[in-house]
Amino acid sequence: MVEDVILLRIIVSSKRWDIFKDADYYIYQATDEAADEGPSLKRLPRLPKLHSPYEFDSDQVGILRCGARHQRRYNALRPHRDTAGDFYIVAALCRAPNSVAPGEFVICLYNSNSPTIWITHKISVDENQHRRQYGCHFEHYNSKVISIGGDSGTMGFVDLWRGILFCDVLKLQRGKTTPPIRYVTLPPPLLPGRVNRGDARLARDIAIVQQGRTIKYVELQVHWKPHPTFRGCYFRDGWMSRIWTRPVDADCAEDCWKPGCKQ
């Protein structure tokens, strides 16, 4: 959800297997001030199956509000402006098909000003940024998308186990040279050496707060204790959490995460 716009995924399928291929995405808009209309629901076109091998899940796609009212999200007080030039972009990050090199992706973009087509761009993370990630080789499995905005229309594609890929989607829309992808690693885990597996969204989350000025990241770690009677069984023995923050305009090459409260 971004302000008055929500991106929804709805699946209606008669298939027994692989029902997600029948997923459709909808835009619910609470009000349309430019057209002086009330709430609306719009179905987005699907990527053409014959010409596009790209598919994406709900954790790979996000929405960004653009236009005069939304370029400066850092201001707490924003004057009312004409909404006629407002639009939104839906962006999805997919793995590049048949790619053998790590860090190669395809970003699929839908612009409400061109409501009948999706546009795809190949993007990649350079080797210098590969080295910022923990481990011997680069990995990224998207968990969530955050919308930052600004003049470049920045969006963040988040792997909650590892880090964030920042992409300026408005620069892609304007047909400029493909901007470099910036990579930021997440803070070190509460328990060093833990194997990252399973759904990271069960224990971690990230959001844009303070009127778009700050990225806030939180990690939860549940403590488990062996059961005294049943071998191989465990029970919960408390928990701890930690909050980290980072300015959205911080240099991606620097470690700017600031630890907050720890419980």
Side-chain angles (χ1 to χ4, degrees):
M1 177 177 178
V2 179
E3 299 183 12
D4 63 336
V5 176
I6 302 176
L7 178 64
L8 303 171
R9 184 177 72 158
I10 300 175
I11 300 174
V12 179
S13 177
S14 59
K15 299 176 182 177
R16 294 185 60 187
W17 312 107
D18 208 6
I19 64 172
F20 296 104
K21 289 186 179 295
D22 288 328
D24 284 299
Y25 287 88
Y26 291 80
I27 296 293
Y28 172 80
Q29 188 166 354
T31 58
D32 189 344
E33 298 178 11
D36 194 22
E37 296 178 355
S40 63
L41 183 67
K42 178 180 180 179
R43 176 179 173 271
L44 302 185
R46 294 185 181 182
L47 284 165
K49 297 295 183 182
L50 294 179
H51 305 288
S52 173
Y54 312 119
E55 295 180 355
F56 48 84
D57 208 343
S58 57
D59 53 8
Q60 298 170 259
V61 61
I63 186 170
L64 175 69
R65 268 298 220 162
C66 305
R69 290 195 307 158
H70 311 280
Q71 285 184 351
R72 294 188 175 273
R73 296 188 57 184
Y74 310 136
N75 295 338
L77 299 177
R78 290 176 292 181
H80 176 76
R81 294 185 176 92
D82 182 19
T83 61
D86 290 352
F87 61 100
Y88 58 82
I89 291 177
V90 178
L93 185 72
C94 307
R95 289 202 167 274
N98 304 320
S99 174
V100 295
E104 293 187 353
F105 303 92
V106 171
I107 188 167
C108 304
L109 300 177
Y110 171 87
N111 189 321
S112 61
N113 285 336
S114 303
T116 60
I117 60 172
W118 287 80
I119 298 175
T120 59
H121 298 269
K122 292 183 179 180
I123 57 177
S124 61
V125 182
D126 61 44
E127 292 186 3
N128 290 331
Q129 299 191 73
H130 286 188
R131 301 188 185 99
R132 297 178 189 169
Q133 193 178 85
Y134 310 113
C136 57
H137 60 278
F138 185 84
E139 292 183 277
H140 185 91
Y141 300 97
N142 219 69
S143 308
K144 187 174 182 177
V145 181
I146 54 176
S147 300
I148 296 172
D151 294 338
S152 299
T154 304
M155 299 183 73
F157 298 89
V158 187
D159 179 340
L160 284 170
W161 286 130
R162 300 172 182 86
I164 312 171
L165 290 171
F166 290 104
C167 181
D168 299 332
V169 297
L170 279 183
K171 289 185 178 180
L172 292 177
Q173 285 281 298
R174 293 166 185 158
K176 295 185 177 181
T177 303
T178 302
I181 305 303
R182 287 100 61 203
Y183 186 76
V184 171
T185 55
L186 291 176
L190 287 171
L191 295 181
R194 177 189 174 187
V195 177
N196 296 332
R197 59 188 177 189
D199 190 346
R201 295 172 297 180
L202 298 176
R204 301 180 176 196
D205 202 2
I206 195 167
I208 305 297
V209 298
Q210 296 181 335
Q211 289 80 42
R213 297 191 298 268
T214 304
I215 300 174
K216 184 176 182 180
Y217 166 74
V218 61
E219 179 185 359
L220 171 70
Q221 177 62 56
V222 177
H223 297 300
W224 297 93
K225 190 174 182 179
H227 197 281
T229 305
F230 301 101
R231 180 178 298 179
C233 296
Y234 297 82
F235 64 93
R236 283 179 291 183
D237 186 34
W239 58 273
M240 63 178 177
S241 66
R242 186 149 202 179
I243 294 174
W244 300 76
T245 58
R246 175 189 179 93
V248 297
D249 56 355
D251 189 341
C252 292
E254 298 180 4
D255 184 7
C256 299
W257 290 106
K258 294 183 179 180
C261 62
K262 184 177 181 180
Q263 298 179 337

